[in-house]
């Protein structure tokens, strides 16, 4: 599932836009919600604090008046209890009201008069920090963000009581009343913040639900907007794929007059232009193939006549003077080349017209290889090369056209002898249950980077200025690749400058099958060992040799250097 989600993320602009919008909007909404919640909290606390201070000031003033009005010998505890009851609201506690605690200081310490207040509020809710400040003689202090403790257990022992706490504000003050004893009294107002806490919880839930709804709404809007943009792009991509498959009549359907409609119209114009160009090129290619085919066939008749005359002259050259005899020999040689070129052109025209047929029969590839090696060994000897055969002992039978396979091998061996620079030439034959592979390896000049993808092009030569003893038309490897493809096989090339080259022919054992793999690697093992030895010796590795087959695109990458 993670892999599918990752692929969906990489391949869909709409998913990326919606996901990014969802994440960014969630972060923004969370930040805004946090700021709003903090502002609301601060406002509620400050408003409650101002009202609490005003209530406390009014209550302390009333307490001073009541205590000052007491005359004679009175019970201080009863009087203080009466004052506290008069100062306390009708309803207080954790529902948003407040409670009052009164103390009388005796020899510098406060004598607590109420262990428990109304609604189970404990006098211990007054923090020690505040009582210490009030005992120090300061006139008034307030302490915010404390916790008010409530006894839920009634008259149960303290060890088993159920206590609950709520946020609150405690304001304390002390006074000296000019009664007959000039006693010091302390009063603490305990204000509950439970209502504010409930309000904050309501605001938080509202912000959360509103934020979720807003994020979902923004994601939906982003999905709708991107869908309007992405849908034409996806349609263009699908139509482009169909155009690439050869369905040149495919077009987009512009809707409206906006930018996307203009994009669709421009795409259709481009497709029409491409269709015209492709048809024009196809027509030119057809005319070219027809021209090559017609010219090749038309040239055969005069060539036959010229060949007959040249043969007569060549046979009678002994009666000529030296210059005429040499001319007769040159005429014979050039006619051979011309006849070879004409034969190659005819063969190419057959492949282009789809008229090339495969006359498959069960053949032993080893016999074909031996015949071709025997035929090309004189050329290799003149070039100073030695051809070495590596073949299995058991027969390598496959259904193939022996004439075409021999032509492929002849082209490969002749090229190896021509470009081998006198080095050894190795021919390896390996077979398995499905395919037969034939590799021709030389140790000559090799190929430059990128040339292995060009050697199968028509009329291409690695070095057109270099002298060639046999002469070449530039069509041999192109015809060889077509013959290999006609068998359902493939012809691949590898080469590295200064290390030679290798051509690998892989044929299926059964006619009509398709080659999927080869028992011989395209890059020869000796080249791999040489590179490993160079790396082991600390020498920088050369640029990786290129490996290609007909019609492939080769990307060149430099090898990483050893540290």
């Amino acid at each position: 599932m993670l892999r599918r989600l990752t692929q969906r993320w990489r391949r869909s602009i709409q998913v990326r836009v919606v996901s990014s919008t969802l994440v960014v909007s969630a972060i923004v909404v969370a930040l805004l919600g946090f700021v709003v919640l903090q502002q609301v909290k601060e406002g509620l606390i400050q408003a409650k604090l101002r009202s609490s201070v005003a209530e406390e000031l009014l209550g302390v003033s009333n307490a001073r008046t009541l205590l000052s009005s007491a005359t004679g010998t009175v019970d201080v505890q009863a009087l203080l209890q009466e004052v506290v009851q008069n100062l306390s609201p009708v309803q207080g506690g954790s529902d948003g009201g407040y409670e009052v605690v009164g103390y009388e200081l005796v020899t510098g310490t406060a004598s607590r008069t109420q262990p428990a207040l109304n609604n189970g509020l404990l006098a211990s809710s007054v923090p020690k920090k505040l009582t210490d400040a009030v005992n120090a003689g300061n006139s008034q202090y307030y302490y915010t963000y404390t916790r008010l403790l409530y006894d839920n257990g009634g008259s149960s022992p303290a060890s088993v009581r159920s206590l609950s706490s709520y946020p609150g504000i405690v304001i304390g003050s002390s006074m000296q009343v000019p009664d007959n004893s000039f006693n010091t009294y302390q009063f603490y107002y305990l204000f509950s913040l439970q209502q504010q806490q409930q309000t904050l919880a309501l605001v938080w839930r509202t912000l959360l639900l509103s934020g979720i709804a807003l994020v979902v709404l923004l994601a939906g809007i982003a999905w709708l907007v991107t869908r309007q943009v992405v849908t034409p792009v996806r349609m263009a991509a699908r139509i482009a794929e169909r155009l690439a498959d050869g369905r040149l009549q495919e077009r987009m359907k512009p809707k409206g007059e906006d930018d996307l409609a203009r994009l669709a119209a421009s795409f259709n114009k481009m497709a029409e232009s491409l269709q015209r160009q492709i048809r024009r090129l196809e027509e030119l290619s057809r005319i070219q193939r027809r021209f090559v085919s017609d010219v090749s066939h038309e040239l055969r008749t005069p060539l036959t006549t010229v060949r007959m005359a040249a043969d007569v002259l060549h046979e009678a050259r002994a009666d000529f003077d030296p210059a005429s005899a040499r001319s007769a020999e040159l005429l014979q040689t050039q006619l051979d080349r011309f006849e070879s070129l004409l034969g190659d052109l005819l063969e190419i025209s057959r492949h282009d017209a789809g008229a090339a047929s495969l006359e498959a029969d069960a053949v032993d590839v080893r016999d074909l290889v031996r015949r071709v090696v025997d035929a090309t060994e004189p050329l290799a000897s003149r070039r100073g090369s030695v051809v070495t055969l590596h073949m299995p002992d058991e027969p390598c039978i496959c259904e193939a056209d022996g004439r075409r396979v021999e032509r492929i091998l002849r082209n490969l061996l002749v090229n190896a002898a021509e470009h081998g620079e006198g080095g050894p030439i190795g021919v390896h034959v390996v077979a398995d249950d499905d395919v037969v592979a034939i590799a021709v390896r030389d140790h000559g000049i090799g190929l430059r980077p990128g040339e292995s993808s060009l050697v199968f092009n028509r009329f291409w030569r690695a070095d057109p200025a270099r002298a060639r003893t046999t002469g070449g038309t530039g069509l041999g490897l192109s015809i060889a690749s077509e013959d290999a493809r006609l068998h359902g096989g493939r012809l691949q090339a590898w080469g590295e400058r200064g290390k030679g080259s290798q051509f690998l022919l892989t044929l299926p054992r059964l006619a009509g099958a398709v080659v999927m793999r080869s028992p011989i690697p395209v890059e020869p093992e000796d080249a791999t060992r040489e590179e490993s030895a160079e790396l082991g010796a600390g020498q920088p590795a050369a640029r990786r040799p290129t490996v290609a087959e007909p019609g492939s695109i080769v990307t060149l990458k430099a090898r990483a250097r050893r540290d």
Side-chain angles (χ1 to χ4, degrees):
M1 181 179 296
L2 180 60
R3 183 169 58 254
R4 288 197 298 268
L5 291 176
T6 304
Q7 293 177 352
R8 183 71 172 170
W9 167 269
R10 290 199 307 265
R11 297 177 180 178
S12 176
I13 298 177
Q14 188 174 11
V15 171
R16 290 201 299 270
V17 171
V18 173
S19 301
S20 302
T21 303
L22 191 65
V23 173
V24 173
S25 59
I27 294 175
V28 172
V29 169
L31 292 176
L32 290 178
F34 177 77
V35 172
V36 170
L37 192 64
Q38 291 299 319
Q39 293 294 326
V40 172
K41 178 180 178 181
E42 187 68 21
L44 291 175
I45 294 297
Q46 292 299 324
K48 183 65 175 178
L49 185 59
R50 287 194 295 269
S51 63
S52 300
V53 170
E55 187 73 29
E56 192 269 346
L57 290 176
L58 179 61
V60 169
S61 177
N62 293 334
R64 186 185 298 275
T65 301
L66 292 174
L67 291 174
S68 299
S69 63
T71 59
T73 302
V74 296
D75 186 353
V76 176
Q77 297 295 334
L79 177 62
L80 187 60
Q81 182 72 23
E82 181 182 356
V83 171
V84 169
Q85 290 179 355
N86 290 331
L87 297 181
S88 299
V90 177
Q91 182 179 3
S94 62
D95 60 351
Y98 64 90
E99 297 288 349
V100 180
V101 180
Y103 298 104
E104 177 191 12
L105 286 181
V106 180
T107 63
T109 60
S111 174
R112 298 185 183 273
T113 60
Q114 293 178 329
L117 304 180
N118 295 332
N119 302 308
L121 177 64
L122 299 179
S124 59
S125 300
V126 180
K128 186 175 184 303
K129 179 180 179 180
L130 184 60
T131 59
D132 293 341
V134 174
N135 290 335
N138 297 322
S139 60
Q140 178 178 319
Y141 291 86
Y142 61 88
Y143 190 89
T144 59
Y145 301 108
T146 186
R147 304 294 297 182
L148 303 183
L149 302 176
Y150 292 88
D151 184 6
N152 300 327
S155 59
S156 302
S159 59
V160 296
R161 288 176 181 174
S162 174
L163 301 180
S164 59
S165 63
Y166 298 95
I169 299 174
V170 181
I171 302 176
S173 63
S174 64
M175 70 180 74
Q176 282 189 344
V177 180
D179 55 5
N180 51 7
S181 59
F182 286 92
N183 291 330
T184 300
Y185 299 94
Q186 296 179 355
F187 291 93
Y188 297 93
Y189 277 68
L190 294 88
F191 295 89
S192 175
L193 295 177
Q194 187 177 7
Q195 287 186 349
Q196 286 72 18
Q197 186 182 34
Q198 294 174 352
T199 302
L200 282 176
L202 178 62
V203 172
W204 185 85
R205 289 193 298 269
T206 303
L207 289 175
L208 179 61
L209 295 178
S210 301
I212 293 175
L214 180 60
V215 169
V216 174
L217 180 61
L218 290 175
I221 293 174
W223 184 80
L224 290 175
V225 173
T226 54
R227 187 171 183 269
Q228 293 179 354
V229 177
V230 171
T231 299
V233 176
R234 290 176 177 172
M235 184 183 300
R238 288 194 296 268
I239 294 177
E241 291 176 355
R242 295 171 186 171
L243 289 173
D245 292 337
R247 300 164 64 179
L248 303 179
Q249 72 281 358
E250 291 290 336
R251 297 292 184 271
M252 294 184 65
K253 297 180 180 179
K255 296 181 180 179
E257 299 178 356
D258 55 6
D259 295 335
L260 294 176
R262 289 196 294 272
L263 173 63
S266 300
F267 184 90
N268 290 338
K269 291 180 181 179
M270 179 191 68
E272 292 174 0
S273 177
L274 288 175
Q275 184 178 12
R276 289 194 300 269
Q277 292 295 330
I278 290 174
R279 288 178 176 174
R280 178 173 174 271
L281 292 175
E282 287 178 348
E283 182 66 19
L284 290 176
S285 178
R286 186 186 64 80
I287 294 174
Q288 181 185 14
R289 290 196 300 268
R290 181 66 178 271
F291 174 77
V292 172
S293 178
D294 292 344
V295 169
S296 300
H297 283 87
E298 291 297 328
L299 287 176
R300 293 194 67 86
T301 299
L303 178 62
T304 303
T305 304
V306 173
R307 165 65 69 181
M308 293 172 59
D311 290 340
V312 172
L313 293 176
H314 188 266
E315 292 177 357
R317 70 183 183 279
D319 300 331
F320 298 161
D321 59 89
S324 299
R326 178 59 179 164
S327 299
E329 292 176 356
L330 291 176
L331 178 62
Q332 189 77 5
T333 303
Q334 295 305 316
L335 280 175
D336 291 339
R337 291 190 60 188
F338 186 70
E339 200 169 34
S340 175
L341 175 59
L342 189 59
D344 290 343
L345 289 175
L346 287 172
E347 189 64 28
I348 284 291
S349 65
R350 292 192 191 97
H351 283 290
D352 290 339
S357 60
L358 190 68
E359 298 177 0
D361 194 8
V363 295
D364 189 349
V365 175
R366 298 181 306 166
D367 297 336
L368 301 179
V369 172
R370 288 192 187 97
R371 285 201 297 268
V372 174
V373 170
D374 293 339
T376 56
E377 193 169 9
L379 173 62
S381 299
R382 288 196 303 269
R383 299 292 294 175
S385 298
V386 177
V387 181
T388 305
L389 283 176
H390 303 274
M391 296 189 299
D393 296 332
E394 62 275 6
C396 300
I397 305 298
C398 72
E399 296 179 359
D401 189 333
R403 180 180 62 87
R404 296 183 182 275
V405 174
E406 284 191 23
R407 182 166 58 192
I408 297 173
L409 297 177
R410 188 181 305 110
N411 272 296
L412 298 183
L413 282 170
V414 168
N415 284 337
E418 280 293 309
H419 306 294
E421 300 295 323
I425 300 174
V427 180
H428 298 261
V429 180
V430 178
D432 59 15
D433 296 336
D434 300 320
V435 297
V436 176
I438 307 167
V440 178
R441 172 79 162 100
D442 67 76
H443 297 78
I445 58 176
L447 298 173
R448 295 185 182 92
E451 289 185 348
S452 59
S453 61
L454 302 175
V455 293
F456 301 104
N457 293 347
R458 298 177 184 181
F459 303 105
W460 184 86
R461 297 192 183 99
D463 188 2
R466 182 174 52 82
R468 296 179 302 276
T469 57
T470 61
T473 64
L475 294 173
L477 289 178
S478 178
I479 296 174
S481 66
E482 294 292 343
D483 285 338
R485 189 178 296 112
L486 191 64
H487 282 83
R490 59 187 179 185
L491 183 61
Q492 298 168 281
W494 168 92
E496 185 176 359
R497 200 64 175 174
K499 293 187 178 180
S501 59
Q502 175 168 292
F503 287 82
L504 176 62
L505 173 64
T506 309
L507 300 174
R509 279 184 174 268
L510 298 178
V514 179
V515 170
M516 303 300 295
R517 56 179 179 80
S518 177
I520 300 178
V522 181
E523 183 176 355
E525 297 180 358
D526 55 354
T528 306
R529 288 195 298 269
E530 289 176 6
E531 291 180 1
S532 301
E534 290 179 359
L535 290 174
Q539 299 178 1
R543 184 180 296 272
R544 176 178 289 275
T546 58
V547 178
E549 55 185 285
S552 65
I553 299 176
V554 178
T555 301
L556 303 180
K557 295 183 178 179
R559 284 187 181 272
R561 294 186 177 274
R562 180 183 176 91
D563 293 336

